[in-house]
């Protein structure tokens, strides 16, 4: 059951509006366009998984872009699925180019058009979310819930 639908993120909507209203000659325009491209890619990546979520059992609860706070620490998960026996976090990345997970420096390196660009490590991000949601569920329910994570690229 979908408990929280996937919606176009507010930040994506805001950047889309800004891009329509700002002159292409404005000095910040290239940065706005790059931000818009990244945000659209992220949203489209999450949206592409929706087909598979239709096959989840009726005993599961699906939450898109779930934002919670535990002990004054906010955290957000792209997808959170709660089953009767466990939970799963899905962290999505929609990245063009060749990617390399660099565990030594905790980065995701993308090579595209002969340029290298570093992104935060989605594995480290998912592990952090796993700990936080595990603690949050324990606090809310009074018993531990096993939490696994997946990185979907």
């Amino acid at each position: 059951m979908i408990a929280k639908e996937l919606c176009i993120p507010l930040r994506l909507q805001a950047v889309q509006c800004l891009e329509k209203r700002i002159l292409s000659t404005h000095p910040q325009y290239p940065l706005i366009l790059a931000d818009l491209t990244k945000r659209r890619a992220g949203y489209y990546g999450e949206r592409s998984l929706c087909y598979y979520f239709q096959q989840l059992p009726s005993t599961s609860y699906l939450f898109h872009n779930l934002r919670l706070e535990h002990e004054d620490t906010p955290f957000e998960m792209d997808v959170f699925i709660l089953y009767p026996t466990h939970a799963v976090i899905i962290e999505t990345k929609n990245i063009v180019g060749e990617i390399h997970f660099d565990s030594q420096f905790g980065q995701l390196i993308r090579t595209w058009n002969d340029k290298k660009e570093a992104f935060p490590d989605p594995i480290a991000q998912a592990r952090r979310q796993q700990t936080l949601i595990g603690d949050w569920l324990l606090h809310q329910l009074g018993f531990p819930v096993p939490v696994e994570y997946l990185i979907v690229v």
Side-chain angles (χ1 to χ4, degrees):
M1 174 170 100
I2 298 177
K4 186 171 184 280
E5 294 278 349
L6 177 62
C7 300
I8 299 175
L10 190 57
R11 287 289 297 252
L12 174 55
Q13 292 178 41
V15 177
Q16 284 175 328
C17 289
L18 180 60
E19 188 265 339
K20 289 177 186 175
R21 288 166 175 75
I22 195 167
L23 295 174
S24 60
T25 55
H26 191 281
Q28 294 295 312
Y29 186 78
L31 295 174
I32 292 165
L33 203 55
D35 186 43
L36 179 59
T37 301
K38 285 181 184 178
R39 291 185 186 281
R40 277 185 180 149
Y43 172 68
Y44 294 145
E46 289 180 40
R47 197 175 73 179
S48 70
L49 295 176
C50 289
Y51 166 78
Y52 301 101
F53 295 144
Q54 295 173 12
Q55 301 170 32
L56 289 172
S58 61
T59 56
S60 64
Y61 292 89
L62 174 73
F63 301 84
H64 288 279
N65 299 317
L66 182 62
R67 184 176 171 82
L68 299 170
E69 188 174 304
H70 181 64
E71 295 180 355
D72 297 327
T73 303
F75 61 103
E76 186 172 339
M77 297 164 284
D78 291 342
V79 178
F80 179 69
I81 306 171
L82 185 60
Y83 295 94
T85 58
H86 66 288
V88 176
I89 298 165
I90 301 177
E91 182 61 34
T92 62
K93 298 295 174 198
N94 190 13
I95 301 174
V96 175
E98 181 181 314
I99 61 169
H100 169 72
F101 290 88
D102 184 347
S103 58
Q104 182 179 359
F105 294 103
Q107 295 179 330
L108 174 68
I109 308 294
R110 184 243 321 248
T111 306
W112 187 48
N113 291 338
D114 295 326
K115 284 195 314 190
K116 289 191 176 194
E117 186 177 4
F119 295 88
D121 182 9
I123 297 171
Q125 180 182 359
R127 285 183 181 148
R128 178 179 174 274
Q129 293 166 346
Q130 180 185 39
T131 299
L132 289 167
I133 192 67
D135 292 347
W136 187 89
L137 288 167
L138 176 62
H139 184 265
Q140 298 298 315
L141 302 174
F143 58 89
V145 176
V147 179
E148 297 296 327
Y149 63 85
L150 299 169
I151 310 298
V152 178
V153 180

